[in-house]
Amino acid sequence: MRRRPKKRLFLIGALIAVLGLGSVPVLNHFDVFSDNGDPMSFNQPTPDGGGRMVQSAAHDPSVRMPTGPQAEFVTANTLDDGTKIGVTTLHGKKSRFTGQVWVWAPKEYYEERYRDSAFPVLIALPGGRGYPMNYWMGTNLKLQETVSELAGQGRSKPFIVVMPVLNPDKKYYYDGSDIPGQPKMGTWMSDDVPDFVKANFRTFTTRDGWAFMGSSSGGFVGLKQVLQHPDRFKAVIASGPDTRPDSPLWRGHPKEMQANNPERLARQLATRRGAPDVYIQFQIGTKEGGRANLERFIQQYGKGPVHASLRVIQGGGHNAKGYIQGMREGSLEAISKVLRGPTPSDG
């Protein structure tokens, strides 16, 4: 199944406006009277007067307090509960790629009782080219609201949702990989984006607090990253993905392409002695193709430390709306069961 750009997964109606320091906020025609584009910080009180984040020393060795330097964010969207999606420009130190990253922290992140606690991270990747923006930052897809709602029900961890751009341009898929002679999008995903999160947020020092989710081409990248770096990431929700690399940029580089093939990576991990467990939650809609391929992947490679399952979304198509439905129905809960969540303080 060829991964392809989604047509109108939602109406962004966005303008890209370049402000100082390279920050790129996303504005739409409803935002004339909003604070979109204004500087914001994840270290400030919530807009509704909620608790503030206090950077005190954490006693739990599994908690990593922000290491800095702090990024400069501007507001991209504001949710009904007052939490904000911020956007900043990240200059990847290891990949040398520069791109936009959107971030949302749940309301629990600002509460005094969690001031010394780490929070799990969900790196959310879009389908299609995923450039110059990541469509999960749009509030009408309700990803962030879904996390909040299910966390309130005890069915999800209150994830920090991180939404980087997927590709360096609109022309090609780069398969979230370091294709020879091309921008190092594999290193961008595996190193630069997580390092950026660690610099700015309270995170877990172990892989038990790190996961991916993605649709179509983004699902492929999330799947590949978890299988390629099981020491860093523990789980993924991969919706409507291919399971083999297919970027035309791999031509002439068969060895490197196979080193980035999820099927090969899963086979190697399944037979590796002492390999860490990884958890793959596939999603597929009944109105799209690719189900047989995912069932084949699970049968052939879902062994040993590779735990793979498939959620079939009734009436779902190859689109973000259907994949959010599947997350609500159980996929987000499934990966939450194997990941750590924040721990309130005794005080």
Side-chain angles (χ1 to χ4, degrees):
M1 179 180 66
R2 184 73 179 180
R3 297 193 303 282
R4 56 197 182 278
K6 311 302 175 301
K7 293 183 179 179
R8 302 188 183 278
L9 283 167
F10 65 98
L11 296 176
I12 295 179
L15 297 173
I16 301 279
V18 179
L19 298 184
L21 301 173
S23 297
V24 179
V26 176
L27 310 176
N28 62 51
H29 61 284
F30 295 107
D31 298 328
V32 177
F33 301 107
S34 77
D35 60 354
N36 282 11
D38 289 349
M40 60 88 66
S41 171
F42 290 97
N43 298 337
Q44 298 298 319
T46 55
D48 60 0
R52 61 190 176 88
M53 187 187 86
V54 179
Q55 304 232 3
S56 61
H59 300 293
D60 186 344
S62 70
V63 177
R64 179 190 291 105
M65 300 303 278
T67 59
Q70 289 287 302
E72 298 201 22
F73 291 93
V74 297
T75 301
N77 266 317
T78 302
L79 277 62
D80 290 342
D81 65 359
T83 57
K84 296 180 182 294
I85 297 173
V87 61
T88 191
T89 300
L90 172 60
H91 304 285
K93 292 183 178 180
K94 296 179 180 178
S95 69
R96 300 299 180 184
F97 171 70
T98 295
Q100 302 305 300
V101 181
W102 291 260
V103 184
W104 171 80
K107 62 181 185 302
E108 291 88 351
Y109 187 82
Y110 304 93
E111 295 177 3
E112 180 75 13
R113 60 182 174 146
Y114 291 118
R115 67 179 184 178
D116 293 327
S117 178
F119 276 71
V121 176
L122 186 65
I123 302 175
L125 304 178
R129 300 295 191 260
Y131 178 88
M133 65 179 58
N134 182 321
Y135 58 58
W136 292 115
M137 55 69 61
T139 55
N140 50 346
L141 280 178
K142 306 298 182 184
L143 171 60
Q144 294 79 16
E145 289 89 341
T146 297
V147 171
S148 285
E149 179 183 337
L150 296 186
Q153 297 172 4
R155 296 177 53 213
S156 172
K157 297 297 191 294
F159 292 97
I160 298 170
V161 180
V162 181
M163 299 155 277
V165 296
L166 182 62
N167 288 304
D169 55 51
K170 295 181 180 180
K171 189 174 182 180
Y172 296 111
Y173 295 109
Y174 290 71
D175 285 342
S177 303
D178 290 356
I179 300 176
Q182 304 298 331
K184 295 183 177 181
M185 302 313 292
T187 299
W188 164 257
M189 288 294 177
S190 64
D191 290 78
D192 289 332
V193 171
D195 286 350
F196 155 79
V197 179
K198 294 170 188 176
N200 288 276
F201 298 90
R202 304 189 303 279
T203 57
F204 287 103
T205 57
T206 69
R207 72 192 192 101
D208 294 326
W210 294 84
F212 277 90
M213 65 143 287
S215 54
S216 192
S217 53
F220 170 89
V221 174
L223 171 66
K224 194 213 74 164
Q225 286 290 336
V226 168
L227 292 170
Q228 198 168 42
H229 303 287
D231 57 325
R232 306 182 195 181
F233 312 110
K234 192 173 185 179
V236 59
I237 300 174
S239 303
D242 281 341
T243 58
R244 297 170 182 168
D246 69 351
S247 172
L249 297 171
W250 287 117
R251 282 194 200 100
H253 307 289
K255 181 179 179 181
E256 292 86 351
M257 183 178 75
Q258 285 305 310
N260 287 274
N261 184 339
E263 295 184 0
R264 184 172 183 266
L265 292 166
R267 183 172 63 250
Q268 292 174 335
L269 187 63
T271 57
R272 197 173 99 198
R273 186 174 182 179
D277 292 300
V278 295
Y279 297 84
I280 302 167
Q281 178 65 59
F282 287 117
Q283 296 196 131
I284 199 77
T286 56
K287 293 184 177 180
E288 64 174 314
R291 177 174 176 176
N293 182 54
L294 297 183
E295 290 175 337
R296 177 192 60 81
F297 184 99
I298 292 170
Q299 181 179 16
Q300 292 186 7
Y301 308 113
K303 302 173 182 178
V306 180
H307 306 272
S309 59
L310 175 64
R311 173 165 294 278
V312 178
I313 306 164
Q314 295 301 316
H318 195 68
N319 56 66
K321 181 179 179 181
Y323 299 145
I324 287 290
Q325 175 186 333
M327 292 176 68
R328 284 183 175 274
E329 290 174 351
S331 292
L332 196 57
E333 183 174 9
I335 68 164
S336 290
K337 289 179 178 179
V338 300
L339 295 167
R340 291 193 63 174
T343 303
S345 61
D346 296 331

